[in-house]
Structures are given as C-alpha cells and as structure tokens.
Amino acid sequence: MRHAEKLLGQVENYLAQIDMPAEPELLYTPITYSMQGGGKRLRPVLLMLSYSLFADDCERALPAAAAVEIFHNFTLLHDDIMDNALLRRGKPSVYAKWGKNVAILSGDAMMISAYQFLGRTQTQNLQAVLSVFSETAIEVCEGQQYDMDFETKQKVSVVEYMRMIELKTSVLLAGAVVIGAMLGGASEEDCKALRRFAIELGLAFQLQDDLLDSYGDERLGKAIGGDILEGKKTYLMITAMSRADESQREILRSTHLNSSLSDEEKIARVKAVYDALDVPHLTQQQIAVRFERALSQLDTLKCDPTRVDSLREYAKSLMGRNK
Amino acid sequence: MRHAEKLLGQVENYLAQIDMPAEPELLYTPITYSMQGGGKRLRPVLLMLSYSLFADDCERALPAAAAVEIFHNFTLLHDDIMDNALLRRGKPSVYAKWGKNVAILSGDAMMISAYQFLGRTQTQNLQAVLSVFSETAIEVCEGQQYDMDFETKQKVSVVEYMRMIELKTSVLLAGAVVIGAMLGGASEEDCKALRRFAIELGLAFQLQDDLLDSYGDERLGKAIGGDILEGKKTYLMITAMSRADESQREILRSTHLNSSLSDEEKIARVKAVYDALDVPHLTQQQIAVRFERALSQLDTLKCDPTRVDSLREYAKSLMGRNK
C-alpha cells in the first residue's frame, strides 16, 4: 500500500495546486468547493497505479489523473441536481448550497476543465487518449440515464442492472486505468486486460456498496437503509424480486411507501424478506466472483510482476480485503 | 455568397449524417431534436470560410465545424434550463419537451460529442486546437454566469455589458474562425487578426440583436419587445439608464413590473424613453463602429485577397448589409 499512498499524496498535492480564476465567483467557487470535498481519489490513484506498471516518472500522468477526478466530480454535481440530493460526502451539495443554475454551469465548466487537463498531457498519442476519455464520458452519461429510467420502470432485470452499473461506475474506472496504461506505453493487450480488471472491480465495488447500504458499515458515513427507504432498485432489491413469491413481492414493492411504519420498521420488514430469500449471501457470492475475475486479469499482464502488487493490494483495500 | 452557401450545404449534409445511438432513448433523441432544430449554422460556416482562406480541401474541416455547432447547441440546451425558456427557434425547447433532467444530461452528452468530433480532426496540431476550443468553451460559461449575475445586479455598466456579450457570443465565433484558420495552416498573425474580426463581428451582431428585439425585424421570428417586457439589461437599456434623468430612470426600472399596463403600453412607454435619449441612433453607431473594425481586420490578412471576399460578404449578409 505504500506506493498507492505515495501516489495519492501526489494526486492530492497536484489537485490542491489547481488555481481557479476569481471571477465570475459563482462559476469557480463551487468548483473549488467540490474538488476539496474529499473522497478517496479512487480514479486518479487507479490511473497512476496503472501508469506505474509500465513507467517510472509518475508526474507525467498527473494531468490525466486530475482530468478523471475533475470529470468524476462534474458527474456528481449534475447527478445531485437530477437526484435532488442535498448532501454529498456529509456536506451540502453544490446544488443545495448554490442552487440548480450554479450547479449546472459550474458542472459544465468542470467538464471543460477536465478536457483542459487531459489536453496538457505530454504524449504522442493524444488523439487515442482523448478518444478513450470521451467514449468513457459518454458511457457514464448513458449509465446515469438508465439509472433514471429504472426509477419509473416496473421491472428491471439483473442483467439490465449490471449493465447500468457497468456504465455508471465501472467504465470510468476502466477509462482511468486504460489511459494510465496508454500513457505508460502499455501494449494493447495489457490495456485490454486492465480494462477488464477495472470493469469487474467496479461491479464488485458497486454491489458491495449496495450490500453495505442495507447491511451496514461505519466507513461509509451513510445512514444504513437509505436505499430501502427510497425504494431504490439495487442489486439486493432486484435479486429479491426475482426470487420472491407474491406476498414477499408486495412487501418489497410497497413497504417504503407505507406511512404507518417507522423507518426502522420499514428497513426491518424489507431485510426480513432479503434474509428469507438468501439475498445477502447471494450478493456476497456475486461480489466474490466479480472480484476474483478482476484480480485474475492482473496475472495476465506482461509487466514486471512486483509492480502489479501495488495495484492488487490497492484493489483489495478498496474491497476491505487487505487484512 | 455562393461559396458560403456551398459550405453551408456541406455542413448541413455532414450534420444530417450524424447517427446517434438508439439507446438510451431519452439521452440521444433530444440531441437529434436539438441538432435538427435549424438555425443559421453561423459558427460552422465561419469555421469553414476561415479554413478556406488558407486551404482547399474543405471536407477536412467538417468534424471541427460539427464540433462548434454541437457545442453551441449544447449551450442552448443548458441556457434554456437556467433561463426557464420554453421556446427555442419557434419550437418547444428540450427543457420544455422533456424536462430539466433530460436537458441537463443530453446537454452533457452533446458537449462530450463536440469533443469527439474535434478529436477526429486530422491535424498535426490537435493539442493546440483542443486548447483553443476548451479556452473558448470555458469563456462561454463565464459569459453565461455574468449574464445571470446581471439579472440581480442593480447597476451594470456598458463596459461590463460589452465584456459579457464578448464572452457569451463573440468568443465562440472567434474560436470557430481561429480553429478553421489553424487547420488551414494560417500564420499566428492571421489567426490573431481573424480572432479580432470575429470578436468585433460578434459584438456588432449581438448589439443588432438587442436593437431588433425592441425595434423589430421580421427575420428574427421573435415577438418584438420581449427584452423590454422581461426588464432585461440590454445594450439599449444600459445605455438609456446611463443617460436618463431620475423620472426616466424610474420608467426604465419599473415599467415591466407595472401590472396595470398592457404589453403594448409597456413597450411604448420604454421605447419613448429610448427615443428621447437617442438610444436607437447611439446603438446603430456602436454597431457600425464594431462592424467596421471587424471588416478592417480582414484587410490585414496575408492570404489571397479574392478568398477573403466570401468571408467579407458572409459577414455583411449576417448584418443585413449585403444589398
């Protein structure tokens, strides 16, 4: 983990040095607020770790690392408007603090800023890097649209759900590692393996997020059961629906709307159905399968195996499996 | 004008061939709707005209021309949310037709799509072209923020107003001609002259737009007097405020809020003050000065003078001065 921590330090330093213009204040202040809002810096660290599989001068990857982090924060700004989300990482969202118009326009400026950082990357291969970045970005938008579509859709299949979280979460991790690898001079084959690694890691990570929302983990800083109270179609809910009998299905469908129940009662009632249908265990199995698939890709890389260790350890720590 | 019309035809053909994915429908259908919404295709035609000052194979400039047009349409999608505008070019805006969330996300996808087209440009100089495009894009966002700031600001000076419309309107025209010129292989000096040309042309064009909104022109397809009814701080209003005595200032400030007056009465009352203060004539003077400055830049270009004629004639036609 020492290498990943060093890279995280480099990323944080680089991001802290970004100097936004002073005016117009309502365009730039929210950008600084958003970028200083914390977070794991997962995407830039993955980009740097991927780069350092193939090259040593990690500073060269910093502008691209900043680009993926700025792009990620841009998606949060706009998602928070669409989801009417007032909190982000325990603080008021830009949308809550400054309103819809500021969140739209500052988000737009962040996306442009992401492209500016990407454009600063020293590479012979800017056209290809740009193409991966844009393809990734458009897929993230597709994922967000599917996510919104699902809110009003009666029935969502597990396959549809997995495709949605692949687009909404995995592809940006994949874009990050592929761009890092391309800048480091990786072969096309290694780029593909790293892409598959990140896709599976992202799925495992998102399913774990779904599981922890209902079954808890204090690291998340989220109220437990938020997904259940919103009636959100998570992996747990969709799996449960596909296995439920009619009376269980009715509980899953309507409990979050039942105003005669307290929040605790709603959560307990839905979780009782999940437990009866073995949903937590099935979810854990799916997480394990995805995570194993991710790690197995790393064994196929044609780079120095000792370099792969840092990336493998980082992936394990993300999943809380580093002990 | 024949050359500009030929280029417009090429632009329209190229844009018509853009094939958006079918799914997710709510992401891509609004993009096609927006791109087919008409408009003069001013920015891509300027880019192509600028390119053809220096090179012959105009097809090579088409992806970049599409990029600036897609970017422009993206700004309209998001501006319409921020301005709560239900009509765009005489049809329901994307915001009115599909709602806020769709307009936000489709707009985001359009901006990414603009970068994708720009990235397809065959050039040795992609980094520089990308940098001009992003710098332009961020300035357009700054212009939109200043425009929104002005709505709640008590006093806006003429200088502040000119700077705002330079950012909101002129810089994208400038970005278009500079990118066209760069792709065509123009010298840095010619790029700078073309930039100044477009900045002044954009100012003349926007001031003419302000004038026509209050004093009419059927080509616009806009209700005459819309700016007055909204109490908008246009060049006319700001100039009038700077010259008005206290009683006139009160009329300018409060007429649009006076619910006892009909729309026609409001418009007549404000225009009477404009007329008394010589505002239409002063605006026409300012338009003429800006437009002359624009044209004078074209005389400094180091390219074949007969090639400049098409651009000059196109600029004149934009200002309705081609007869």
Side-chain angles (χ1 to χ4, degrees), chain B residues 165-166 169-170 173 197-207 294:
Chain B
I165 63 173
E166 179 175 332
T169 302
S170 286
L173 309 192
F197 155 76
I199 294 287
E200 298 292 344
L201 178 66
L203 295 177
F205 187 71
Q206 185 58 50
L207 295 186

Side-chain angles (χ1 to χ4, degrees), chain B residues 114-135:
Chain B
Y115 274 101
Q116 285 183 308
F117 277 94
L118 196 69
R120 265 169 227 164
T121 306
Q122 292 306 316
T123 172
Q124 299 302 311
N125 216 4
L126 185 59
Q127 197 149 29
V129 168
L130 194 62
S131 165
V132 169
F133 186 83
S134 291
E135 182 66 24

Side-chain angles (χ1 to χ4, degrees), chain A residues 28 78 101 108 119 127 142, chain B residues 28 78 82 108 119 127 142:
Chain A
Y28 290 115
H78 280 192
N101 289 357
D108 292 345
Q127 197 148 29
E142 292 181 358
Chain B
Y28 290 116
H78 280 192
M82 295 182 243
D108 292 344
Q127 197 149 29
E142 291 182 358

